[in-house]
Amino acid sequence: MSEHTTAAADPLLAVEGLTVSFPTAAGPADVVDNLSFSVPRGGALGIVGESGSGKSMTSLAVMGLLPKGGAATGSIRFDGTELTALPEKRLREVRGDRIAMIFQDPLSSLNPYYRVGTQIMEAYRSHRRGVTRSEARRVAIEALDRVHIRDAATRVDHYPHQFSGGMRQRIMIAMALTMEPDLIIADEPTTALDVTVQAQILDLLAEIRRDTGASLILITHDLAVVSEVTDDIVVMRNGVCVESGTTEGVFSDPAADYTRRLLDAVPRIDDEIGVLRTTSAMPTIPGGTR
Ligand SMILES: Nc1ncnc2c1ncn2[C@@H]1O[C@H](COP(=O)(O)OP(=O)(O)OP(=O)(O)O)[C@@H](O)[C@H]1O
Ligand SMILES: [Mg+2]
């Protein structure tokens, strides 16, 4: 059987009919409603949609980390194992060893009181029992080097505040990398960063995918961000998938009005002058009647 056939027939992650609900005074409210998608081995999926559309709840459901009160139904199959049926302990093993999550704000995930190297070493040793300190330190330096932190052997002993926002995000990615995950879920990994640093982080994610073969779920409200990195895309609104397909296909020919509006709202760098113009003067519509 060719590799291609295998990947298509046996995705790394297959989510089917995922519904996430929270109790309210009026009964359970679905914040994710009957969502299905899959991520091929080595593939990258973008989940996009406006704030509150259910992107984070989807990823947290996959991780089995829904906030209190949240309940998930449907099927979440990871590498052939049904995660929704796993006891908490086994789920924690899968989560710790095979799925890594990168969040929006690296400061909230890094402890300001500990050297970054110590934190990477801790993360590494928590899922690799019996690793010596010196071995963990070597892995931490290697990981920092891999995410292009210069002079990693010195920087490993620095504290989070000694790094820029973009560097801190790369440190979080380094931490995730030491797990050698099969799947990386990045939830708005570049939202807090300026445009040039965003591009660096996206390049890094693409590079890691290429080098390690890890699959990626990239969550963002910014369509410009997914276009560069992902193969497939799911567009969410109010917890529902309004459109899905190849990223290229959805971008070149969006089927849903909602997607078209999202695409129109993307301020690309080369459009910024245009955006300024539209906000400061009435745009003229070529061929229009006004
Ligand atoms: N703990 C909670 N209890 C009840 N409802 C919640 C809880 N957390 C989130 N929600 C609701 O779930 C819905 C989806 O939220 P979610 O965080 O998945 O949105 P999102 O697409 O990630 O948005 P953003 O782009 O702002 O991060 C929202 O309507 C939100 O109000
Ligand atoms: Mg979110």
Side-chain angles (χ1 to χ4, degrees):
M1 199 190 288
S2 82
E3 194 140 76
H4 204 83
T5 318
T6 312
D10 178 27
L12 179 67
L13 178 72
V15 170
E16 270 170 50
L18 175 68
T19 296
V20 176
S21 58
F22 284 94
T24 69
D30 295 344
V31 297
V32 176
D33 185 4
N34 197 20
L35 182 69
S36 301
F37 61 86
S38 64
V39 184
R41 290 166 197 279
L45 173 82
I47 302 181
V48 303
E50 66 197 355
S51 184
S53 56
K55 306 180 298 294
S56 293
M57 289 306 135
T58 299
S59 63
L60 291 172
V62 169
M63 296 289 283
L65 289 174
L66 284 175
K68 213 161 178 280
T73 59
S75 166
I76 303 170
R77 233 169 43 247
F78 178 78
D79 199 12
T81 303
E82 180 58 52
L83 294 188
T84 51
L86 278 191
E88 179 61 27
K89 186 171 174 290
R90 287 273 326 275
L91 185 60
R92 219 177 299 140
E93 283 166 12
V94 172
R95 208 151 64 204
D97 290 343
R98 305 195 55 193
I99 308 178
M101 207 154 169
I102 298 163
F103 294 98
Q104 173 177 343
D105 178 9
L107 259 197
S108 65
S109 317
L110 285 171
N111 187 323
Y113 299 110
Y114 292 96
R115 300 171 200 277
V116 297
T118 307
Q119 298 184 58
I120 299 173
M121 286 163 66
E122 283 298 303
Y124 180 62
R125 293 175 86 192
S126 71
H127 62 92
R128 285 290 151 83
R129 304 241 168 138
V131 172
T132 62
R133 273 191 62 82
S134 62
E135 166 70 0
R137 188 179 163 84
R138 192 187 59 73
V139 168
I141 293 171
E142 212 176 83
L144 287 177
D145 195 51
R146 186 140 180 212
V147 298
H148 310 303
I149 300 286
R150 255 183 258 161
D151 196 14
T154 306
R155 292 298 244 160
V156 71
D157 292 318
H158 289 179
Y159 291 87
H161 74 265
Q162 294 174 281
F163 295 89
S164 69
M167 287 167 119
R168 285 195 287 258
Q169 191 57 292
R170 278 187 269 157
I171 291 164
M172 289 309 300
I173 295 172
M175 201 179 279
L177 281 182
T178 62
M179 291 174 43
E180 298 175 3
D182 299 309
L183 175 64
I184 299 170
I185 303 179
D187 191 350
E188 306 273 8
T190 62
T191 306
L193 307 171
D194 69 48
V195 176
T196 33
V197 182
Q198 276 187 17
Q200 289 166 12
I201 297 294
L202 294 177
D203 286 347
L204 178 62
L205 285 173
E207 183 186 316
I208 285 164
R209 251 190 87 199
R210 205 169 51 233
D211 293 352
T212 69
S215 303
L216 174 71
I217 296 179
L218 181 63
I219 295 173
T220 175
H221 61 270
D222 185 345
L223 278 162
V225 162
V226 290
S227 67
E228 222 182 295
V229 181
T230 66
D231 312 312
D232 298 303
I233 188 174
V234 169
V235 183
M236 290 184 73
R237 186 186 197 193
N238 294 332
V240 176
C241 169
V242 294
E243 177 161 11
S244 65
T246 65
T247 306
E248 212 184 321
V250 170
F251 267 68
S252 59
D253 187 19
D257 273 355
Y258 177 66
T259 311
R260 229 166 286 140
R261 265 180 284 133
L262 280 182
L263 279 168
D264 287 345
V266 175
R268 288 170 202 83
I269 299 168
D270 48 288
D271 279 355
E272 242 153 47
I273 294 167
V275 170
L276 284 176
R277 200 189 308 127
T278 41
T279 51
S280 59
M282 284 297 287
T284 48
I285 302 164
T289 49
R290 277 172 289 174

